[in-house]
């Protein structure tokens, strides 16, 4: 039984993530972030038991039976629950059921939304000056009449004594309270809490791009919720601590807060950029378009070049995957960097240079203009007659090779990897574009633009969706294929540069 945390995928525990990796079956619901399923093995069975748009959630009996059934088949089951499994998650009931059937289990607690959603809204649940206690309370009367162990249905909530709850703690945290907000507010005031008492509702707390916060007082919050059409799931916070948000608010400010950004990158690289966006409060919509795969010749050409690696004067790297393929094949051949100690290394740009450093190699040269043509023109010294190795993508551009050949170098351009189009996620992106819930689409190479157009078909991007490109050649392709120039262009062709350009653009928009 694993606490998934409240939303932000980083808020799962180390133990929770490890248990997911081992599971044969993952049973999860709506409040667990789908990204957490990436921890599970490719072949693990994934069972969603939350509510679908027009369907009911699986019943608790159904979930219990499912857990027992998979356990009986000898499977390790990860029961992934939003927040903490024992805080209104019915984790207690599931544990009782398993114990009664002698099915062994462990419990990995999670970060509860009761504390984390306020935290991401800048509201500490205690504070030396404002609150020395907090209470977590269900806002939802249980009326399902379902049996649960020996307790009578509804008994726990039936015990709710509003006169006690009203002063249970300085800070009151209601879960599942949006629908019954009217009742909660009325009862608290009827039992002595002042109409001016500050109240906040935090919806989809910690979910980048989706978190919403509404602030008011016991006297006016019901009306505010009605006007804003504010919906569950939300944590309702009652108490003086709500005022601290003005000062401590952090997650939902800044230029990228609430922005919904399509991330089109090769699958291997997408997550890193997505993470950078999430840290800044934006929602990354990951749309992996390219997978990097071994070249069609099974590395024959690259391996062949590695046999005579000592004969090269320069090795020019044009991308991070090229660096990786080169270094991995070198290791596979039982060699290391001493094999090309006489060669100098060039990197087309900062990201490629960083990839080299990741393998313990320092680039000797980076061009001023970070393109293949730039590198070819700027490679220093007399290039005439020099042997240059150029590991690159199967469909790599020829500008670098051409520029070097023009300078009468002997160029060995070998295929180190191939990009294959992989339209996974096209359906989700199409839906989001149709709903109008996308602010920006980012492109990090010409091929991501091409593949984006291939994957989505001809439908033009609405002008409300801004186009962001990592560099000039990507921008050129975007202008050609999408019918307009990108609104956002990175000064420096790296992910950090792209991020800075996004921030700058949205800061200017206000
Ligand atoms: N076990 C969960 C709570 C499950 S009850 C936990 O510890 O967080 C479901 C209620 O939790 C929702 O109705 C809502 O009140 C609250 N909730 C869960 N995740 C939330 C989130 N990300 N933001 C706001 N409220 C959330």
């Amino acid at each position: 039984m694993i606490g998934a945390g409240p939303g932000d995928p980083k808020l799962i525990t180390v133990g929770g993530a490890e248990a997911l990796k081992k599971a044969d079956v993952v049973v999860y619901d709506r409040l667990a972030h789908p990204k957490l399923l990436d921890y599970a093995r490719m072949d693990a069975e994934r069972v969603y038991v939350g509510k679908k748009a027009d369907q009911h959630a699986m019943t608790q009996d159904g979930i219990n039976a499912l857990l027992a059934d998979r356990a009986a088949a000898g499977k390790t089951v990860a029961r992934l629950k939003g927040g903490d499994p024992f805080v209104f998650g019915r984790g207690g009931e599931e544990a009782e059921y398993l114990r009664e059937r002698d099915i062994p289990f462990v419990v990995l607690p999670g970060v509860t939304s009761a504390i984390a959603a306020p935290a991401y809204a800048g509201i500490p649940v205690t504070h030396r000056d404002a609150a020395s206690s907090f209470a977590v309370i269900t806002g939802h009367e249980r009326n399902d009449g379902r049996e649960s162990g020996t307790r009578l249905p509804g008994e726990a909530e039936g015990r709710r004594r509003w006169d006690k709850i009203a002063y249970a703690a300085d800070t009151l945290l209601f879960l599942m309270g949006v629908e019954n907000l009217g009742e909660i507010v009325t009862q608290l005031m009827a039992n002595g809490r002042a109409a001016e008492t500050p109240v906040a509702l935090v919806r989809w707390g910690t979910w980048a791009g989706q978190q919403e916060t509404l602030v008011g007082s016991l006297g006016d919050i019901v009306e505010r919720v009605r006007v804003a059409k504010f919906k569950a799931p939300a944590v309702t916070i009652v108490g003086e601590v709500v005022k601290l948000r003005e000062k401590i608010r952090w997650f939902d400010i800044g230029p990228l807060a609430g922005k919904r950004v399509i991330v089109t990158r090769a699958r291997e690289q997408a997550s890193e950029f997505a993470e950078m966006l999430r840290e800044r409060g934006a929602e990354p919509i990951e749309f992996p378009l390219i997978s990097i795969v071994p070249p069609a010749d099974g590395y024959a050409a690259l391996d062949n070049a590695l046999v005579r690696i000592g004969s090269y004067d320069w090795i020019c790297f044009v991308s991070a995957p090229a660096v990786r393929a080169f270094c991995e094949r070198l290791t596979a051949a039982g060699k290391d960097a001493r094999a090309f100690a006489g060669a100098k290394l060039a990197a087309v740009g900062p990201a490629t240079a960083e990839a080299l450093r990741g393998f313990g190699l320092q680039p000797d040269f980076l061009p001023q203009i970070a393109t293949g043509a730039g590198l070819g023109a700027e490679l220093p010294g007399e290039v005439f007659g020099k042997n240059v190795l150029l590991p690159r993508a199967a469909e790599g551009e020829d500008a670098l090779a051409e520029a070097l050949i023009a300078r009468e170098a002997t160029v060995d351009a070998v295929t180190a990897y191939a990009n294959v189009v992989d339209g996974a996620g096209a359906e989700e992106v199409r839906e989001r574009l149709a709903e109008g819930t996308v602010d920006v689409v980012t492109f990090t190479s010409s091929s991501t633009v091409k593949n984006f157009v291939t994957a989505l078909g001809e439908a033009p991007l609405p002008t409300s969706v801004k186009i962001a490109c990592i560099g000039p050649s990507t921008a050129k392709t975007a202008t050609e294929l999408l019918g307009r120039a990108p609104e956002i262009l990175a000064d420096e062709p790296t992910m950090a540069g792209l991020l800075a350009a996004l921030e700058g653009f949205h800061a200017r928009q206000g």
Side-chain angles (χ1 to χ4, degrees):
M1 196 151 319
I2 305 170
D8 182 340
K10 282 214 167 161
L11 295 180
I12 191 166
T13 64
V14 174
E18 279 171 4
L20 277 176
K21 286 178 199 160
K22 290 189 198 132
D24 301 308
V25 186
V26 182
V27 180
Y28 65 104
D29 32 44
R30 189 169 78 113
L31 295 170
H33 198 287
K35 178 106 187 123
L36 295 175
L37 295 175
D38 290 353
Y39 284 115
R41 294 198 317 263
M42 293 287 270
D43 64 342
E45 184 191 3
R46 292 158 164 81
V47 190
Y48 178 73
V49 296
K51 264 184 224 160
K52 294 244 168 69
D54 49 0
Q55 269 169 266
H56 274 299
M58 189 184 276
T59 62
Q60 190 61 49
D61 292 342
I63 296 170
N64 291 347
L66 175 75
L67 299 179
D69 173 76
R70 296 300 189 275
K75 303 273 167 75
T76 302
V77 184
R79 174 68 176 110
L80 186 64
K81 285 172 164 294
D84 180 276
F86 282 4
V87 177
F88 301 129
R90 306 192 71 168
E93 289 165 60
E94 288 174 22
E96 283 178 296
Y97 180 94
L98 296 174
R99 176 56 42 82
E100 283 156 16
R101 282 154 192 79
D102 286 329
I103 299 169
F105 59 84
V106 295
V107 180
L108 292 150
V111 173
T112 180
S113 65
I115 295 172
Y120 272 53
I123 302 173
V125 296
T126 69
H127 187 276
R128 267 168 64 108
D129 302 326
S132 58
S133 58
F134 65 87
V136 182
I137 305 150
T138 170
H140 178 74
E141 290 288 346
R142 179 167 163 185
N143 57 8
D144 56 11
R146 196 178 290 129
E147 294 283 333
S148 172
T150 55
R151 289 187 295 274
L152 292 173
E155 191 184 337
E157 283 83 2
R159 279 203 302 265
R160 286 203 307 191
R161 291 275 305 274
W162 282 107
D163 54 338
K164 300 276 197 294
I165 290 173
Y167 286 98
D170 297 327
T171 304
L172 304 180
L173 303 162
F174 290 93
L175 268 55
M176 302 175 283
V178 181
E179 272 156 44
N180 288 323
L181 190 65
E183 152 99 2
I184 293 169
V185 162
T186 309
Q187 292 283 7
L188 293 179
M189 291 198 289
N191 287 283
R193 297 287 292 238
E196 299 74 48
T197 310
V199 180
L201 275 79
V202 184
R203 170 172 201 263
W204 287 118
T206 82
W207 290 65
Q210 297 185 44
Q211 176 172 313
E212 286 175 61
T213 302
L214 192 66
V215 177
S217 65
L218 281 179
D220 66 14
I221 194 72
V222 171
E223 178 61 11
R224 285 177 189 270
V225 163
R226 194 186 62 76
V227 171
K229 299 198 172 64
F230 201 89
K231 298 258 155 39
V235 175
T236 303
I237 306 135
V238 179
E240 292 301 314
V241 287
V242 167
K243 290 188 184 155
L244 289 157
R245 168 172 164 82
E246 273 177 38
K247 203 161 159 193
I248 307 180
R249 184 175 175 183
W250 61 276
F251 178 67
D252 52 358
I253 49 177
L256 293 185
K259 295 288 175 239
R260 298 149 301 183
V261 182
I262 294 181
V263 178
T264 58
R265 286 186 71 84
R267 190 177 281 285
E268 303 185 14
Q269 299 161 317
S271 295
E272 194 187 335
F273 189 53
E275 197 43 54
M276 292 162 96
L277 287 168
R278 208 175 276 115
E279 277 168 8
R280 286 160 179 79
E283 180 198 6
I285 306 164
E286 290 185 53
F287 188 7
L289 286 165
I290 321 169
S291 292
I292 291 163
V293 296
D297 70 356
Y299 297 113
L302 178 59
D303 288 350
N304 199 24
L306 291 174
V307 171
R308 46 198 156 78
I309 189 70
S311 66
Y312 293 102
D313 302 297
W314 278 99
I315 307 172
C316 294
F317 293 97
V318 290
S319 68
V323 171
R324 191 168 143 203
F326 176 89
C327 292
E328 287 181 359
R329 294 312 291 175
L330 187 74
T331 308
K335 296 185 179 177
D336 61 31
R338 288 168 299 174
F340 53 91
K344 291 205 153 118
L345 308 180
V348 71
T352 308
E354 202 43 51
L356 278 170
R357 288 186 202 106
F359 285 97
L361 300 169
Q362 279 298 342
D364 297 289
F365 179 70
L366 270 90
Q368 295 289 322
I369 299 171
T371 62
L375 178 56
E378 293 178 37
L379 200 67
E382 185 51 82
V383 176
F384 170 80
K386 294 276 162 65
N387 289 321
V388 183
L389 175 62
L390 172 49
R392 60 174 193 172
E395 62 290 343
E397 44 170 321
D398 294 322
L400 172 56
E402 280 166 14
L404 291 171
I405 290 167
R407 293 174 65 189
E408 297 185 51
T410 307
V411 178
D412 251 354
V414 300
T415 303
Y417 64 98
N419 291 311
V420 297
V421 178
D422 167 359
E427 206 41 52
E428 191 202 337
V429 167
R430 217 174 267 130
E431 274 169 31
R432 300 277 314 238
L433 286 170
E435 281 168 14
T437 54
V438 176
D439 299 300
V440 184
V441 49
T442 57
F443 295 110
T444 50
S445 66
S446 287
S447 56
T448 58
V449 184
K450 287 180 196 143
N451 296 331
F452 183 82
V453 173
T454 310
L456 285 184
E458 288 301 298
L461 275 179
T463 49
S464 60
V465 178
K466 303 301 175 222
I467 300 169
C469 291
I470 200 164
S473 53
T474 308
K476 186 161 164 277
T477 312
T479 310
E480 279 164 22
L481 297 183
L482 297 167
R484 66 183 148 109
E487 287 83 4
I488 303 162
L489 182 61
D491 289 333
E492 187 204 357
T494 61
M495 285 190 286
L498 184 56
L499 205 59
L502 280 175
E503 291 189 344
F505 178 81
H506 288 291
R508 284 193 299 280
Q509 301 272 299

